[in-house]
Amino acid sequence: ELIESLGLGDFNSSAKTSIGTPTATAGILVLEDNNKAMILPKVASPHLNIISPDAGMMVYDTTAKQLAVFNGTVWSFWKP
């Protein structure tokens, strides 16, 4: 009942959430702005502190000061 009352009961494969000025850009979640950026969740040592990560998970590692991405098996770390 809660899911239906929130409007989450119906699945729409063409649904889109747009934050910023809406455009025709395809995607499920589209973030658009000319002078702002997305900020990822910040986690200290995600490879140690995220117990059950899901494939595709992305966080900013505050300990190593780099981007961490989980591919479903291992974490990859990207440093600028």
Side-chain angles (χ1 to χ4, degrees):
E1 292 178 20
L2 176 61
I3 290 177
E4 289 176 5
S5 68
L6 292 174
L8 302 174
D10 295 328
F11 177 74
N12 181 345
S13 63
S14 64
K16 171 182 171 180
T17 298
S18 182
I19 299 173
T21 304
T23 67
T25 304
I28 294 172
L29 175 63
V30 178
L31 305 175
E32 302 182 68
D33 199 277
N34 292 326
N35 61 4
K36 293 180 182 70
M38 176 180 71
I39 298 176
L40 295 173
K42 297 174 183 176
V43 179
S45 303
H47 61 292
L48 301 175
N49 291 313
I50 298 178
I51 305 303
S52 298
D54 285 317
M57 190 174 277
M58 295 173 43
V59 298
Y60 179 75
D61 182 341
T62 58
T63 303
K65 300 194 182 335
Q66 58 193 1
L67 178 67
V69 180
F70 189 70
N71 71 2
T73 304
V74 297
W75 286 95
S76 297
F77 297 91
W78 301 2
K79 192 162 191 152

